[in-house]
């Protein structure tokens, strides 16, 4: 006999896992912001925490895949769960890659130039975290759209900041190597914002399907 209590419990498990993944994305971006504000001794611990957040999120993503393979009833379409899980994982993965670059780049590279980008990244990921948590509560399209508007605004502002940073690189007193290094760092932050946008778009699409 089918246990409906067990089936409902499986549905809750997906919400738990997706929310945990969104939380790791949020934590990693906040740690990144902290690294840019603090000295190198404080950053070492934060870098380790970012690596752990990415590893933890990878385990969560793998767990979601496992649950999809052995669960008959899911809260929404399996393809959407897989897509959202992957989009969320790509956020801390990109943040970790950025931090790796920061640890090996020359000390003279001005990290403060990225701070406005990182602030907007944090805002974008916080909006995604909020949106993912709304999935459990059922169809509340208005709150999802409000959060998505915040996310879209952060992405738009990040694009403007990126353009200003690139303009500064083209016209500033930088050596060729510095231009290459900074351009890669700026691109990675922009990529992380794009990952957040992608995750938010998937949440919005899920809510539109069931509204």
């Amino acid at each position: 006999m089918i246990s409906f209590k067990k089936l409902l419990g499986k549905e809750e498990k997906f919400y738990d896992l997706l929310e945990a993944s969104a939380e790791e994305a949020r934590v990693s971006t906040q740690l990144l912001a902290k690294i840019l504000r603090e000295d190198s001794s404080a950053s070492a611990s934060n870098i380790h925490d970012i690596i752990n957040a990415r590893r933890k999120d990878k385990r969560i993503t793998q767990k979601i895949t496992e649950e999809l393979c052995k669960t008959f009833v899911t809260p929404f379409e399996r393809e959407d769960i897989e897509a959202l899980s992957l989009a969320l994982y790509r956020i801390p993965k990109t943040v970790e890659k950025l931090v790796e670059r920061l640890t090996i780049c020359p000390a003279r590279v001005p990290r403060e130039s990225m701070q406005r980008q990182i602030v907007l990244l944090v805002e974008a990921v916080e909006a995604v975290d909020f949106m993912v948590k709304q999935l459990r509560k059922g169809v509340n399209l208005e709150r999802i759209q409000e959060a998505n508007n915040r996310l879209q605004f952060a992405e738009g502002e990040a694009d403007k900041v990126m353009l200003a940073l690139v303009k500064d690189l083209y016209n500033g007193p930088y050596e060729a190597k510095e231009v290459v290094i900074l351009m890669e760092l700026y691109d990675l932050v922009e990529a992380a914002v794009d990952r957040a946008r992608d995750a938010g778009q998937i949440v919005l699409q899920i809510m539109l399907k069931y509204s």
Side-chain angles (χ1 to χ4, degrees), residues 136-166:
R136 186 194 296 268
K137 300 177 182 179
V139 179
N140 192 335
L141 190 56
E142 183 177 350
R143 298 188 73 183
I144 290 289
Q145 288 177 326
E146 289 175 355
N148 189 61
N149 288 340
R150 296 197 300 271
L151 172 56
Q152 295 297 325
F153 178 79
E155 187 207 5
E157 290 298 301
D159 287 342
K160 294 177 184 177
V161 172
M162 179 66 173
L163 181 60
L165 291 172
V166 172

Side-chain angles (χ1 to χ4, degrees), residues 9 15 33-34 38 54 64 76 89 97 99 107 109 118-119 144 147 151 164 179-180 189 201 210:
Y15 292 126
K34 194 173 182 180
E38 298 182 352
R54 198 274 304 165
I64 291 173
F76 39 92
Y89 171 65
K97 185 181 293 185
V99 170
V109 173
I118 300 301
V119 168
I144 290 289
L151 172 56
V179 170
V180 173
V189 181
Q201 188 63 33
Y210 295 94

Side-chain angles (χ1 to χ4, degrees), residues 31-183:
L31 287 170
L32 173 60
K34 194 173 182 180
I35 286 173
L36 293 178
R37 292 195 304 266
E38 298 182 352
D39 57 33
S40 58
S41 61
S43 297
S45 174
N46 293 325
I47 290 169
H48 180 71
D49 290 340
I50 284 176
I51 294 171
N52 283 338
R54 198 274 304 165
R55 290 174 178 171
K56 184 176 179 181
D57 203 9
K58 184 175 182 179
R59 291 193 294 270
I60 293 169
T61 303
Q62 291 172 338
K63 181 65 174 177
I64 291 173
T65 300
E66 292 171 6
E67 290 295 332
L68 285 172
C69 292
K70 62 184 181 181
T71 303
F72 179 69
V73 176
T74 57
F76 39 92
E77 293 182 13
R78 294 169 184 272
E79 293 79 5
D80 290 332
I81 295 175
E82 287 180 319
L84 179 54
S85 174
L86 182 59
L88 290 171
Y89 171 65
R90 284 173 173 167
I91 298 171
K93 184 177 181 180
T94 304
V95 169
E96 182 185 26
K97 185 181 293 185
L98 171 60
V99 170
E100 288 174 346
R101 298 298 189 276
L102 283 172
T103 60
I104 62 175
C105 70
R108 66 178 179 275
V109 173
R111 297 185 182 189
E112 63 274 9
S113 62
M114 290 190 299
Q115 287 182 346
R116 178 55 181 160
Q117 268 190 310
I118 300 301
V119 168
L120 292 166
L121 171 60
V122 171
E123 291 177 3
V125 175
E126 286 179 346
V128 170
D129 182 47
F130 175 84
M131 293 171 74
V132 171
K133 290 175 180 175
Q134 295 305 303
L135 288 172
R136 186 194 296 268
K137 300 177 182 179
V139 179
N140 192 335
L141 190 56
E142 183 177 350
R143 298 188 73 183
I144 290 289
Q145 288 177 326
E146 289 175 355
N148 189 61
N149 288 340
R150 296 197 300 271
L151 172 56
Q152 295 297 325
F153 178 79
E155 187 207 5
E157 290 298 301
D159 287 342
K160 294 177 184 177
V161 172
M162 179 66 173
L163 181 60
L165 291 172
V166 172
K167 181 179 179 181
D168 180 63
L169 284 180
Y170 288 169
N171 297 280
Y174 298 102
E175 297 179 2
K177 182 171 72 173
E178 290 176 318
V179 170
V180 173
I181 292 171
L182 282 171
M183 194 68 207

